Amino acid sequence: MDQAAKGAAALEAKNFSAAVTHYTEALAINSQAVNYYIQRSTAYTRISPPDYPAALGDAEVALTLASKRGKRELIIQAQLRRAIALFSLDRYADAKAAFDWVKEMNKDEKSLQIWTMKVQNKLKALPEDDVKAQTTIQRYPDVEVPEQKEVKASNIPSSEPKPAISNQKGQATKAEGVQTPADKIRHEWYQTDDTVVVSLFVKGVPKDKTTIDIQTTCLTVSFPLPTGSDYNFSLDPFCGRVDAAASTAKILSTKIEFILKKASAGEKWPSLESDAPVTAQENDMDGDGVNEAKRAVLADRSTNAGPSYPTSSKSGPKNWDKVADDLTKKPKTQNKEGEEGGGDNGLDEEFEEGDPVNGFFKQLYSRADPDTRRAMMKSYQESNGTTLSTNWSEVGKEKVETHPPDGMEAKPW
């Protein structure tokens, strides 16, 4: 395994001091490798204690090399590492500029929302003439790329664990800050008719250094880890909308609890987050969207076809509801004076009362010849009411089997 691969493995294992060492040795072999500088910059921001000036230096070298080669993805990564390092050095206006350049090239970068919020909060608290609120950087820095022999590690900390600080009585003092490893932090959620409750399980979150932002369609939270880096957690977008003003967050000793007030009480969320854009969901449910949805459901119910029964007809199944409706309508006639009147007397009037479909079959049977009647009776009885045929030449040959409608099952009585 070469030094770069060892550095990547150390970074994945959160052994940041070893990652710095391995990437330094890899850069001594190839000082033009953009990704090596990006990864070492990442390691510098996460070691304990962090080395932010070194992280910024590596990020700017990486950005210079990437811009010369026109590597868009590497430019974005290097600019992002540069912005994070600048923020960590309290150069908030410079950090904002760098984050804005990242957003121009990749507006979908997931971490941008949290970092932008943090920068804005810092800048709001500063007076206008504060040096931290002044932008001093250019989009692409003017730095020299070191040669192989010039590459060196800056302030590489020892990988040995530091002893616990002792108090006057000689007892070890419990470390302050977040005590849950980043890979062990997890979240759970449940809902009631009115709220969605999300619990982020992490111990020792510092209240004064935690940033929480709850919006109608998302939430973000950020807090520092003992390694010097920040832990960022976001839910974006929610599966539904919330009332941000009525929602709350509490930082407890073992977790952060978010109580999100549903914008629509009684709405059941199938999941906590949604894959679909929330804006589309909102448009569907705003204004006439609700009425349109209701109309669509009602229309679907009213146009659903009834069960389709098997038939022996060569022309295919008939829509008996339509046939019955057509046949039970009285034809318009004219009386001797030329006025329109009702239909014929006799059989039509005999079957007017009751269900029109039953009336139609009564009419059909009463007007049929003997063979048609035998076919109707035999097919209806032998099929347990699932088939009605008027073709005696087919029905008379064999027993008519039961054919229940689709989705139903015939059971013996």
Side-chain angles (χ1 to χ4, degrees):
M1 182 182 295
D2 60 19
Q3 293 298 326
K6 291 179 180 179
L11 200 60
E12 180 69 21
K14 297 181 174 54
N15 189 351
F16 304 118
S17 59
V20 169
T21 300
H22 292 306
Y23 277 118
T24 299
E25 294 180 4
L27 284 168
I29 299 172
N30 181 9
S31 64
Q32 306 295 306
V34 180
N35 189 57
Y36 296 174
Y37 287 105
I38 293 174
Q39 299 304 320
R40 192 171 72 169
S41 175
T42 302
Y44 274 135
T45 61
R46 297 179 181 177
I47 59 177
S48 183
D51 189 346
Y52 296 128
L56 177 60
D58 276 358
E60 292 192 331
V61 170
L63 185 56
T64 300
L65 288 171
S67 62
K68 289 180 179 179
R69 299 178 187 179
K71 299 290 186 178
R72 181 182 180 87
E73 185 59 35
L74 292 176
I75 291 174
I76 295 172
Q77 293 181 33
Q79 193 75 270
L80 180 61
R81 298 315 312 175
R82 182 192 190 195
I84 293 173
L86 287 167
F87 179 88
S88 302
L89 291 169
D90 297 340
R91 295 170 59 179
Y92 302 124
D94 287 342
K96 181 181 182 303
F99 283 125
D100 288 343
W101 291 326
V102 173
K103 188 175 182 179
E104 285 182 17
M105 302 187 70
N106 182 15
K107 63 180 180 180
D108 296 326
E109 169 60 43
K110 292 183 177 180
S111 63
L112 277 178
Q113 183 178 7
I114 293 175
W115 282 111
T116 301
M117 177 185 65
K118 293 173 68 173
V119 169
Q120 290 174 347
N121 290 338
K122 292 292 187 181
L123 288 174
K124 287 179 182 178
L126 294 176
E128 294 182 1
D129 58 347
D130 194 304
V131 66
K132 299 176 184 177
Q134 298 175 6
T135 303
T136 61
I137 63 171
Q138 298 178 349
R139 186 172 191 135
Y140 297 106
D142 183 16
V143 298
E144 295 183 3
V145 179
E147 301 294 334
Q148 273 89 341
K149 61 182 180 180
E150 297 174 345
V151 175
K152 62 180 181 179
S154 172
N155 191 25
I156 301 177
S158 172
S159 59
E160 295 295 324
K162 296 183 179 181
I165 301 173
S166 300
N167 56 23
Q168 295 180 352
K169 297 182 179 180
Q171 298 175 345
T173 304
K174 190 175 183 179
E176 296 181 356
V178 176
Q179 300 164 31
T180 305
D183 59 342
K184 300 295 183 182
I185 299 176
R186 60 185 177 85
H187 73 279
E188 294 180 359
W189 75 287
Y190 67 89
Q191 63 180 313
T192 65
D193 288 341
D194 300 324
T195 62
V196 173
V197 181
V198 182
S199 296
L200 184 66
F201 292 97
V202 53
K203 295 181 179 179
V205 175
K207 295 182 180 181
D208 58 333
K209 298 181 180 179
T210 300
T211 303
I212 296 174
D213 184 36
I214 300 176
Q215 301 292 336
T216 304
T217 59
C218 63
L219 75 79
T220 57
V221 58
S222 175
F223 51 82
L225 295 172
T227 59
S229 61
D230 286 341
Y231 185 87
N232 301 312
F233 174 79
S234 64
L235 298 172
D236 185 13
F238 293 140
C239 193
R241 300 171 62 191
V242 304
D243 183 349
S247 301
T248 61
K250 294 187 294 184
I251 300 179
L252 307 175
S253 60
T254 58
K255 66 180 180 179
I256 303 176
E257 185 177 74
F258 305 91
I259 302 178
L260 309 175
K261 181 75 172 179
K262 291 181 179 178
S264 300
E267 178 187 5
K268 296 299 181 184
W269 291 15
S271 60
L272 182 56
E273 290 184 276
S274 172
D275 295 330
V278 175
T279 52
Q281 297 175 7
E282 292 175 359
N283 292 337
D284 290 342
M285 297 309 295
D286 284 342
D288 293 337
V290 177
N291 294 329
E292 290 295 336
K294 290 181 179 178
R295 284 195 290 270
V297 172
L298 294 176
D300 181 65
R301 290 179 179 175
S302 63
T303 57
N304 280 342
S308 176
Y309 291 92
T311 177
S312 59
S313 173
K314 295 181 180 180
S315 60
K318 290 183 179 294
N319 185 343
W320 291 106
D321 291 337
K322 184 176 185 302
V323 174
D325 184 59
D326 292 341
L327 290 181
T328 52
K329 290 180 179 178
K330 292 183 179 181
K332 293 183 178 180
T333 60
Q334 290 185 341
N335 55 24
K336 294 180 180 180
E337 286 75 16
E339 297 176 353
E340 291 186 354
D344 295 337
N345 297 351
L347 290 176
D348 286 339
E349 294 180 356
E350 181 181 349
F351 303 120
E352 282 181 6
E353 298 180 357
D355 181 49
V357 177
N358 289 336
F360 158 69
F361 285 118
K362 289 178 182 179
Q363 290 185 43
L364 181 65
Y365 184 82
S366 66
R367 295 172 178 175
D369 58 61
D371 283 346
T372 300
R373 290 187 178 186
R374 285 198 296 271
M376 292 176 68
M377 292 296 293
K378 184 174 185 294
S379 63
Y380 188 80
Q381 291 177 356
E382 291 182 352
S383 70
N384 294 312
T386 60
T387 302
L388 182 65
S389 175
T390 58
N391 190 344
W392 176 251
S393 61
E394 292 184 2
V395 174
K397 294 179 182 179
E398 57 186 357
K399 180 181 177 181
V400 181
E401 299 295 333
T402 300
H403 296 285
D406 293 340
M408 302 183 68
E409 180 182 356
K411 295 184 179 180
W413 292 89

